Structures are given as structure tokens and as C-alpha cells.
């Protein structure tokens, strides 16, 4: 392969568990900083309500403003072949997106063919549970400012009109969470090939609980939540011009970040791991399954 065709993102073993876990750790920073940016703006619930903008109805778009942001943005990304990558999943149905303009990068076929996609759940929990929680400080400050200017009642709350800024930041958070959750497939493949015989009986006779117990690493999760709280406490600080921490109110509710992982991101990642395992034998012959089943740690 000539160097002009070689893609430097393909280097290294894509199924190195420590390397994969390192990517999950790095995505913690992306997610925390994106949430801190979004928390600057009020809740702006109109962004997530279907039919809230007549302008979208006029162009025949039935979804929410955020749905429209996602569709328009992901259309460009699709043309740039973003979704031919095994770790990128659009929130817009792939059938509604254009074909890539660029030839797909010849990624190594690391994951077993699957259609596991948790993005509908990610979009739902993010807009219903996460956004109201992380924007609470900005929403309360907005209401106070509106009341000081004689705006009272429903008009006080939740809407600062920054739909573009808030929507763009929502997309950054959603794309980072989606990548993080779907990396569960790579983790699951590593665990499967390490000891297929441990998983196969619970795939042949589907048992989600047994598979969930096999992929769960409590100590990894405990250390993650501990690390996440420490990171969020530092990242959420304001700093004086000389770089010293200023103290005062954190830029985001640190508990909301820890609970996002504990109640949503980790459980969903494990569901992706189990969903991936449940289709891992599809298309294999009885002989192939028996050979795999003989390998067990
Ligand atoms: C991602 C892994 O699988 C599971 C999910 C984890 C998570 O979502 O952070 C952490 C440990 C495991 O319970 C892993 O083993 O690293």
C-alpha cells in the first residue's frame, strides 16, 4: 500500500483492552467539558419539543429543533464518510442521510457484524433527564434576571433564546456520549475472544443477566466514578488570571456528572456489550461455534 493510501488512524492493535479503556478515559474529559459548556445556557425546552418552531413546520420538518440540527449536521458528516467508521453512529436514521462523497477508509474488520445502536435511548435520557439538571443554575439565574426586568410567570423560566448555541453544544455532548457507549462493542469483542466458552452457553440460550455479570468489572467502575468526581471538581472551577483557583460556585453540578455516568452511561454501555454478544454467533456454523466453545479461561 502506498503511503498516500495508508491511513495513520489504523495503527496499533484495535483490540487492546487497555488502549480501549484509555479512549474511554479520554472521552470523560470531552464529555465533562462539553457539559460545562452546555450548562452556561438555560434549559431551552423548546429545542426538544416537536412542532415548537413554525419555521420547521413550514419546510415540512416534523421533528424538534435539535432533531433538525442533528439531521443537517450529520448530513455533512455523512458526506465526509464519518459514519463509515466503526465507532461513529448518527442520531439521524442512516436512510435519511446522503451517501459519502469520499471513499470509505479501509478500517480493519474488528467488530462482528451487528446493528446495535443505543442512540435513541441516549437522545431520550439526555434531553429528558440530563439537560434540565445541568442547566438548573443558568435557568434559575435567568428567571431572577427576568423578574428584575418585570417578566414574571411562565415567561420567567427556562428560555434564554440561545437555541443555536445550546443546540450545537447538545450535539457535541450527544456525539461524545454515543461514541463512549458504543465503544462497549470493542470491549465486548475483547472479552468474548479472550474466553468465548464463557459466553457461548448464555448466547445460545439467551441470558442477559448471566452475560451482564460476565462483562461487569465492579472495580473498574468504582475507580471510574472516583476519578470522574475528582476531574469534574477540578474542571468545574473558575481560575483567576494568574491561574489560581478562584473558589466560589462550580461551573456545573458535579453530582450531575457522576450520576450521568452511574445511572445512564455505564448501564447503557453494558447493555451495548450484552446486545453485541447476543448477535456474536449469528452466521457461524455449528463447527465454528464448537471450536470457539472449546476455548474458555
Ligand atoms: C467498559 C467495560 O465494561 C463494563 C462497563 C464499564 C463502563 O461502562 O465504564 C466499566 C467496566 C465494566 O463493568 C470495561 O470492562 O472496561
Amino acid at each position: 500500500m502506498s503511503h498516500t493510501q495508508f491511513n495513520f488512524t489504523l495503527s496499533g492493535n484495535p483490540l487492546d483492552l487497555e488502549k480501549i479503556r484509555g479512549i474511554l478515559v479520554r472521552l470523560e474529559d470531552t464529555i465533562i467539558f462539553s457539559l460545562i459548556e452546555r450548562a452556561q445556557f438555560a434549559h431551552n425546552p423548546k429545542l426538544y419539543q416537536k412542532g415548537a418552531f413554525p419555521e420547521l413546520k413550514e419546510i415540512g420538518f416534523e421533528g424538534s429543533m435539535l432533531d433538525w440540527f442533528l439531521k443537517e449536521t450529520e448530513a455533512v458528516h455523512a458526506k465526509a464518510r464519518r459514519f463509515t467508521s466503526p465507532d461513529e453512529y448518527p442520531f439521524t436514521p442512516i436512510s435519511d442521510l446522503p451517501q459519502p462523497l469520499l471513499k470509505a477508509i479501509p478500517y480493519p474488520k474488528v467488530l462482528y457484524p451487528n446493528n446495535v445502536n443505543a442512540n435513541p435511548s441516549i437522545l431520550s435520557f439526555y434531553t429528558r433527564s440530563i439537560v434540565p439538571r445541568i442547566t438548573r443554575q443558568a435557568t434559575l439565574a435567568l428567571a431572577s434576571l427576568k423578574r428584575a426586568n418585570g417578566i414574571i410567570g411562565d415567561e420567567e423560566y427556562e428560555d434564554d433564546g440561545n437555541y443555536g448555541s445550546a443546540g450545537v453544544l447538545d450535539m457535541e455532548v450527544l456525539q461524545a456520549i454515543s461514541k463512549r457507549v458504543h465503544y462497549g462493542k470493542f470491549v465486548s469483542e475483547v472479552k468474548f475472544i479472550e474466553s468465548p466458552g464463557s459466553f457461548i452457553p448464555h448466547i445460545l440460550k439467551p441470558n442477559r443477566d448471566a452475560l451482564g455479570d460476565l462483562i461487569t468489572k465492579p472495580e473498574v467502575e468504582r475507580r471510574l466514578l472516583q476519578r470522574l468526581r475528582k476531574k469534574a471538581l477540578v474542571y468545574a472551577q473558575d481560575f483567576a488570571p494568574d491561574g489560581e483557583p478562584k473558589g466560589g460556585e462550580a461551573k456545573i453540578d458535579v453530582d450531575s456528572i457522576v450520576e450521568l455516568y452511574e445511572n445512564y452511561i455505564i448501564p447503557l454501555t453494558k447493555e451495548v456489550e450484552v446486545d453485541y454478544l447476543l448477535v456474536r454467533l449469528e452466521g457461524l456454523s455449528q463447527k465454528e461455534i464448537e471450536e470457539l466453545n472449546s476455548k474458555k479461561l
Side-chain angles (χ1 to χ4, degrees):
M1 177 184 286
S2 74
H3 76 280
T4 52
Q5 290 166 332
F6 183 80
N7 182 290
F8 294 96
T9 61
L10 302 183
S11 56
N13 171 15
L15 286 180
D16 173 334
L17 186 54
E18 286 320 303
K19 179 178 170 186
I20 295 168
R21 283 177 171 161
I23 291 169
L24 297 183
V25 170
R26 202 195 70 235
L27 282 169
E28 291 166 8
D29 305 339
T30 308
I31 290 168
I32 294 170
F33 280 116
S34 300
L35 288 168
I36 287 173
E37 290 304 297
R38 176 63 181 87
Q40 295 175 82
F41 298 97
H43 178 187
N44 291 317
K46 271 181 75 175
L47 264 173
Y48 317 109
Q49 293 159 359
K50 297 187 187 310
F53 289 84
E55 298 89 336
L56 293 182
K57 281 186 170 179
E58 283 160 22
I59 60 172
F61 187 79
E62 296 301 318
S64 69
M65 179 60 83
L66 180 60
D67 293 333
W68 183 69
F69 277 157
L70 284 164
K71 183 171 183 291
E72 295 295 301
T73 304
E74 291 180 338
V76 171
H77 291 183
K79 290 176 186 173
R81 72 184 172 190
R82 174 173 188 171
F83 304 115
T84 61
S85 163
D87 62 354
E88 296 283 356
Y89 298 79
F91 284 84
T92 306
I94 198 79
S95 55
D96 293 348
L97 294 175
Q99 289 300 310
L101 284 180
L102 306 175
K103 275 197 303 187
I105 293 174
Y107 292 104
K109 297 290 180 209
V110 167
L111 295 179
Y112 200 73
N114 70 91
N115 294 313
V116 176
N117 185 326
N119 278 354
S121 301
I122 293 170
L123 184 59
S124 175
F125 80 64
Y126 175 71
T127 56
R128 294 170 186 276
S129 306
I130 306 308
V131 174
R133 175 82 186 273
I134 65 167
T135 60
R136 178 173 163 73
Q137 283 170 268
T139 298
L140 291 173
L142 173 73
S144 171
L145 180 65
K146 284 186 171 182
R147 283 194 299 274
N149 287 277
I151 302 169
I152 57 173
D154 283 349
E155 285 308 306
E156 285 178 44
Y157 268 90
E158 300 175 332
D159 192 316
D160 59 18
N162 291 300
Y163 309 129
S165 302
V168 165
L169 293 167
D170 283 334
M171 287 195 292
E172 287 178 14
V173 178
L174 286 165
Q175 285 166 351
I177 291 177
S178 175
K179 176 171 279 194
R180 195 290 177 183
V181 164
H182 290 102
Y183 251 92
K185 297 184 183 183
F186 290 92
V187 173
S188 204
E189 180 62 22
V190 170
K191 293 173 181 175
F192 177 80
I193 55 179
E194 185 181 43
S195 179
S198 303
F199 298 96
I200 287 172
H202 307 303
I203 297 173
L204 294 176
K205 189 180 175 201
N207 184 332
R208 293 190 69 92
D209 290 343
L211 292 172
D213 291 343
L214 285 167
I215 56 102
T216 295
K217 308 297 176 198
E219 184 54 22
V220 173
E221 293 182 28
R222 187 192 66 77
R223 279 202 309 271
L224 181 155
L225 293 173
Q226 193 179 41
R227 176 178 66 245
L228 202 69
R229 181 173 295 278
K230 289 177 180 175
K231 279 184 175 182
L233 283 169
V234 173
Y235 297 168
Q237 290 183 75
D238 260 326
F239 293 86
D242 65 358
E244 285 304 309
K246 280 169 69 173
E249 191 172 44
K251 288 185 276 190
I252 194 167
D253 172 358
V254 170
D255 289 337
S256 69
I257 293 178
V258 176
E259 287 166 25
L260 163 63
Y261 265 79
E262 192 164 17
N263 301 329
Y264 298 99
I265 290 180
I266 294 174
L268 211 46
T269 301
K270 294 201 279 188
E271 285 175 34
V272 164
E273 291 188 50
V274 169
D275 289 337
Y276 176 84
L277 288 169
L278 287 170
V279 299
R280 183 59 179 76
L281 304 179
E282 284 181 1
L284 295 184
S285 67
Q286 191 54 35
K287 183 172 182 300
E288 287 170 317
I289 292 172
E290 283 164 8
E291 282 170 5
L292 281 169
N293 205 22
S294 64
K295 185 185 172 201
K296 182 175 181 179
L297 285 185

